[in-house]
Amino acid sequence: MKPLMPRPVARFNKAVTNRIQGVYAPYLPPLAVIVHRGRRSGREYRTPVTAFRSGDRLIVGLPYGRDADWVRNLLAEGRGGVERLGRVRRLGRPRVLTAADAAELPPPARLAARHMDVLVADIED
């Protein structure tokens, strides 16, 4: 699916907005911070996102598409973490769902999946 947001917006947010949001995102729902390792560098990165919990799953809309660095890092590693509501949890089995795959998701996530890909990961712990 084509990303909702153009690449220049993504680059600006990565350089500017994410640094600001990263301060309060771990404490202010529906924001959260995804913790992931770089595919090549092995460095730990923290990316603020809008995320929702449904049972033992974390659901994140992907307005920049599945090719965003943090998504690719999380998928390559097969695990990561999420900091949400001041708590850190492990994430496992991350996967990207399209509208065709979203039948298993709650109604708000299915609606989002009609407009963008959605990342789903199991919350461990």
Side-chain angles (χ1 to χ4, degrees):
M1 181 173 291
K2 182 181 175 193
L4 289 177
M5 304 297 278
R7 291 303 302 163
V9 173
R11 281 191 295 273
F12 176 81
N13 284 342
K14 186 175 181 178
V16 179
T17 310
N18 286 0
R19 293 173 192 247
I20 297 166
Q21 280 188 338
V23 173
Y24 59 84
Y27 309 102
L28 187 64
L31 298 176
V33 172
I34 300 293
V35 182
H36 53 96
R37 293 228 172 260
R39 295 180 305 285
R40 294 186 190 126
S41 69
R43 180 176 169 223
E44 182 177 282
Y45 291 96
R46 301 169 52 78
T47 303
V49 298
T50 301
F52 300 92
R53 185 173 181 161
S54 176
D56 288 337
R57 295 181 297 185
L58 186 75
I59 302 168
V60 182
L62 302 176
Y64 304 114
R66 64 177 57 216
D67 290 330
D69 285 334
W70 74 267
V71 177
R72 293 172 53 197
N73 289 344
L74 197 61
L75 293 173
E77 182 78 13
R79 61 190 166 107
V82 63
E83 197 171 342
R84 188 166 187 265
L85 296 170
R87 297 181 70 186
V88 178
R89 306 247 183 186
R90 286 189 302 243
L91 294 177
R93 220 169 64 89
R95 59 229 179 254
V96 175
L97 302 181
T98 63
D101 305 322
E104 68 179 71
L105 299 178
R110 283 197 310 267
L111 179 63
R114 289 169 54 192
H115 304 285
M116 68 183 110
D117 291 335
V118 175
L119 181 120
V120 177
D122 298 334
I123 299 173
E124 301 171 350
D125 301 1

